[in-house]
Amino acid sequence: MLDAAKNHFELFGLPTSFAVDTNRLAERYRALSAQARADTALAIPSPPQLDEAYRTLLDPLTRARYLLRLYGRELGRGRGNAALLVEQIELREQLKQVSNPTRTALAVSSVLTELAEQSAVLAKELRTLFEDPSADNLELAHDLVHQLEFIALCRRDAEQHRSLRQGWD
């Protein structure tokens, strides 16, 4: 089911898993980059391809998307989680209602902390699901990736909100 010709995990000598040893990934990336720059005749990807593979495996959301593709699951529409959606909308509303710069900083920090906690819970669930990539687990992983995407969007909004408010100070 896995396509070895396009498998970033194999390129870096890592197990195909959601759990990645980022220190080992960075170490292998540096070694392969040095080899690729020293000898372009080597049968390893070019530096830009290595960079893309490295960035894919380094970021948990991008890694999860990549794993789904490796297992033949294209990321379409997810079933979503209504409770999570409501919670995210409430967090966004929290940010919109704050006008005092000091309170804004506290509200953004609170929202970012909440989003980080939610991301950590989802990442732990993804790790478990990808350990046994059955059809049911991949379907659940697909839905969790959509939830992580939404959290990432909320995080960007919160950080942008903080940047805009800091510009007014």
Side-chain angles (χ1 to χ4, degrees):
M1 194 180 268
L2 295 176
D3 185 355
K6 296 181 182 178
N7 191 329
H8 298 337
F9 294 95
E10 290 178 358
L11 173 67
F12 291 109
L14 299 170
T16 304
S17 169
F18 183 73
V20 168
D21 179 345
T22 56
N23 290 328
R24 185 169 176 210
L25 173 63
E27 186 178 288
R28 292 290 300 141
Y29 169 73
R30 285 189 297 273
L32 288 171
S33 293
Q35 288 176 353
R37 287 179 179 87
D39 187 356
T40 56
L42 289 175
I44 59 174
S46 68
Q49 291 168 318
L50 281 173
D51 292 346
E52 176 63 26
Y54 176 71
R55 283 191 307 273
T56 296
L57 296 185
L58 189 60
D59 177 63
L61 177 56
T62 309
R63 183 183 332 124
R65 288 182 191 137
Y66 181 71
L67 277 166
L68 285 173
R69 282 195 311 273
L70 282 178
Y71 287 114
R73 300 282 178 145
E74 287 303 315
L75 204 58
R77 294 181 55 84
R79 289 179 290 202
N81 178 326
L84 179 70
L85 179 60
V86 168
E87 195 172 326
Q88 300 309 315
I89 291 170
E90 288 172 356
L91 289 173
R92 284 179 159 180
E93 288 302 315
Q94 247 182 318
L95 290 175
K96 287 180 184 175
Q97 293 174 1
V98 180
S99 59
N100 177 304
T102 303
R103 289 179 136 183
T104 298
L106 292 172
V108 170
S109 292
S110 174
V111 167
L112 288 172
T113 298
E114 177 67 26
L115 293 172
E117 289 170 359
Q118 291 175 4
S119 292
V121 168
L122 293 175
K124 186 175 179 180
E125 290 179 40
L126 280 170
R127 182 179 192 164
T128 301
L129 292 171
F130 281 121
E131 285 174 0
D132 174 22
S134 66
D136 288 342
N137 283 354
L138 290 174
E139 187 63 31
L140 291 171
H142 179 269
D143 292 341
L144 292 183
V145 167
H146 278 291
Q147 291 176 31
L148 272 177
E149 287 175 330
F150 191 71
I151 288 171
L153 179 63
C154 291
R155 183 181 297 131
R156 280 191 298 272
D157 288 350
E159 289 170 350
Q160 186 177 33
H161 191 81
R162 178 173 50 196
S163 296
L164 289 173
R165 294 290 181 175
Q166 286 174 347
W168 294 350
D169 294 343

